[in-house]
Amino acid sequence: MSARTVSRPALARPALPSLPSLWDGLRRAWVAHRTRRQLLELDEHLLHDLGLSRADAWREARRAPWDLDPIRRGRGIG
């Protein structure tokens, strides 16, 4: 009878993000932060052209920079 060796599966380590993907995430968060603040500078006419109210602009500007989900305006989206 031959001896069998039982190998244990290696423990899975959490994948660390690569430097380029980490940099890309930080860049996207910064762009989101900057453009959300720029929404507050638009006048009512331009906000209306975008389909946003002043309240929508404030709600969007208060979001965390890393929250990159699309805007939700209570219309059953997302």
Side-chain angles (χ1 to χ4, degrees):
M1 203 179 262
S2 65
R4 289 187 181 175
T5 56
V6 178
S7 62
R8 294 183 181 175
L11 296 177
R13 293 184 183 176
L16 296 176
S18 66
L19 192 56
S21 67
L22 181 62
W23 181 251
D24 184 55
L26 289 172
R27 185 190 56 79
R28 290 177 60 218
W30 175 250
V31 169
H33 172 75
R34 188 181 65 222
T35 56
R36 288 171 181 165
R37 295 296 173 192
Q38 289 171 342
L39 270 178
L40 296 177
E41 298 174 11
L42 298 178
D43 64 14
E44 300 299 323
H45 182 306
L46 291 173
L47 286 173
H48 179 73
D49 286 350
L50 293 172
L52 298 173
S53 67
R54 179 60 58 193
D56 290 332
W58 275 104
R59 193 174 310 112
E60 185 69 13
R62 286 193 310 256
R63 290 173 59 187
W66 54 85
D67 182 4
L68 300 175
D69 290 334
I71 187 172
R72 295 183 186 136
R73 290 181 276 180
R75 297 182 184 160
I77 299 171

